[in-house]
Amino acid sequence: MPPRLSITRLSKSFAGTRALAEVSLEVAAGELRVIAGENGAGKSTLIRILSGVFGDYAGEIRIDGEGQRLTSPERAMRAGVATIHQELSLVGALSVSDNLLLYRRGHALAPVDGEREREQAARVLAEMGLDIAPETLVERLSLADRQLLEIARALTRKAKLLILDEPTSALSAAEAERLFERLATVRAAGTSVLYISHRMDEIFRLADRITVLRDGRCVLESGRDETTPHELVGALLGREKRVAPPRQVTAPSAARLEVRALRAKPLVDAAFAVRPGEIVGVAGLSGSGAEALMSALFGAVRPEHAEIRLDDAPYYPESPAAALARGVAFAPGDRGLGVFQELDVVANATLSSLERYCRFGVVNRSSERADVARESERFALKAAGPGAAASSLSGGNQQKLVLIRCLLTEPRLLLLDDPTRGVDIGAKHDVYAALEELADSGVAILLRSTELDELTTVCDRILAVTRGRICLELARSEFDRERLLAALMGAAA
Ligand SMILES: Nc1ncnc2c1ncn2[C@@H]1O[C@H](COP(=O)(O)OP(=O)(O)OP(=O)(O)O)[C@@H](O)[C@H]1O
Ligand SMILES: [Mg+2]
């Protein structure tokens, strides 16, 4: 039997960038192959070719032995490829059930049977464990629910090859678990899976085999049991990982941010403080109130009640602009909200700090560029140049760009919502080092993350939010994964 997928010397260049260079691989029916690699290594490029987004590739693709020219998304679908892209593709203004059936309806000549469609949609949602009414508008869903919906939609297509580009980056552990169960079923039915991930635990749990890309080339292919996380990281980075020693904090007593009472649905009552030089973590599942906390502090949502002080003056942000004016910067976790695709790297980076580069209405381009160059180097931002459009950056590099924009505002208080979502393991440590450096210079940082390891690595203190309340607060010396998890699941007394 020919392999399910066979790729021979696949290459793709963008003006000046070799994104993929003569990659060959074979995937068996029912196999789950992890594709790993640093930000910008070529992972999304590979899967975009397979899903017909880039028709102008060089090389050969065979599915079940049959040669394919995947020159359009329709062709890829007909060849049996279903893809969940890194950037979601649901239509916000349509209902959940319309989104689920969008593709099928577009291709069927049969008249629409509303009742049957509703039933079908309800069944798909139930299989994915999603408790959403089919008529809900997608724009009203949380990021996690949208991700699960996108996955559910792809699973309805009975594909030969299912491709997932960082599917769990916005999911909680429990939601990811549901996805893994569904993947097992799909594979048992013979569907092969290409799975892109930056998460080591996930990679070693799910993979049959692992392929590592670096600078567009395949640098390692191995069975899961023939390699180790250590070897994998070495192959990913082409160097050893640096691990910084934990930081010593001597937090001064006066609070930078003092939340005395904050109510913002579903957050019922929050009270806590962040001092200059401190990194305080916020842990919370989606819907717990943790996201609401961040949005309210940045003025993106109006709290029902707020008694907040910033450097001992009243703080009640009416809007993100008002928050910025007070020295509060925010990096959203959904980079779709943070990056302006048509603007170039420099314009994206300095968007929130332009007045610093302006004198008498004229922008000082050279100092603007110098600052962006310095920050880009710090985060190892991979882009064709400062004038490259943000849309030409890989997903993880777009996320780094959002962070750079925040830092260039020279904030007093930095609010971060899942800042390393989609950032590779090497760059993650660059981000952590940058946060620690900032904290050392006196910035107060509030960091929400869906990754507990991230919180325990960089934070001085962690607040756990469950059902709208801060139910547990741990200092660094008390960090305990089990206790945190229990608190997040609502099991702690
Ligand atoms: N549309 C485009 N125009 C120009 N360059 C591009 C385009 N898409 C990707 N590239 C470049 O190709 C290279 C590979 O990008 P790709 O998106 O495949 O990376 P990736 O491995 O998916 O990274 P990440 O983990 O950050 O998602 C990068 O250098 C990127 O800047
Ligand atoms: Mg990518």
Side-chain angles (χ1 to χ4, degrees), residues 184-226:
T185 323
V186 169
R187 293 174 56 196
T191 299
S192 305
V193 181
L194 284 188
Y195 192 100
I196 296 181
S197 177
H198 289 297
R199 298 187 169 172
M200 283 298 150
D201 49 348
E202 205 169 278
I203 292 176
F204 276 87
R205 171 166 164 194
L206 297 175
D208 295 312
R209 296 183 70 74
I210 304 170
T211 292
V212 178
L213 298 180
R214 191 166 74 229
D215 294 331
R217 294 179 187 279
C218 178
V219 292
L220 177 78
E221 185 185 321
S222 167
R224 183 209 24 212
D225 299 328
E226 279 100 62

Side-chain angles (χ1 to χ4, degrees), residues 440-478:
D440 288 342
S441 75
V443 178
I445 300 177
L446 193 64
L447 164 70
R448 185 183 93 90
S449 178
T450 46
E451 283 182 54
L452 280 189
D453 289 338
E454 173 157 301
L455 294 174
T456 53
T457 304
V458 281
C459 295
D460 305 310
R461 244 180 331 130
I462 299 177
L463 313 171
V465 181
T466 317
R467 293 198 212 96
R469 291 178 194 279
I470 297 176
C471 58
L472 182 69
E473 180 178 335
L474 294 180
R476 186 161 190 107
S477 57
E478 310 165 306

Side-chain angles (χ1 to χ4, degrees), residues 208-335:
D208 295 312
R209 296 183 70 74
I210 304 170
T211 292
V212 178
L213 298 180
R214 191 166 74 229
D215 294 331
R217 294 179 187 279
C218 178
V219 292
L220 177 78
E221 185 185 321
S222 167
R224 183 209 24 212
D225 299 328
E226 279 100 62
T227 185
T228 62
H230 186 78
E231 187 187 16
L232 193 61
V233 171
L236 279 164
L237 303 181
R239 57 181 156 94
E240 291 284 302
K241 186 171 92 180
R242 300 172 284 120
V243 182
R247 193 170 73 91
Q248 299 298 318
V249 240
T250 43
S253 46
R256 166 73 32 94
L257 175 76
E258 193 184 354
V259 177
R260 292 181 180 168
L262 177 62
R263 212 173 306 136
K265 257 199 187 98
L267 201 65
V268 263
D269 255 315
F272 64 95
V274 187
R275 290 183 285 271
E278 235 189 343
I279 306 179
V280 174
V282 178
L285 304 180
S286 70
S288 63
E291 295 138 305
L293 173 69
M294 305 302 281
S295 313
L297 287 175
F298 190 56
V301 302
R302 279 291 178 90
E304 289 124 60
H305 176 76
E307 282 170 57
I308 309 174
R309 298 182 78 78
L310 184 69
D311 282 331
D312 216 23
Y315 176 69
Y316 187 89
E318 301 269 338
S319 67
L324 262 174
R326 293 285 301 273
V328 178
F330 177 58
D334 184 356
R335 65 180 150 255

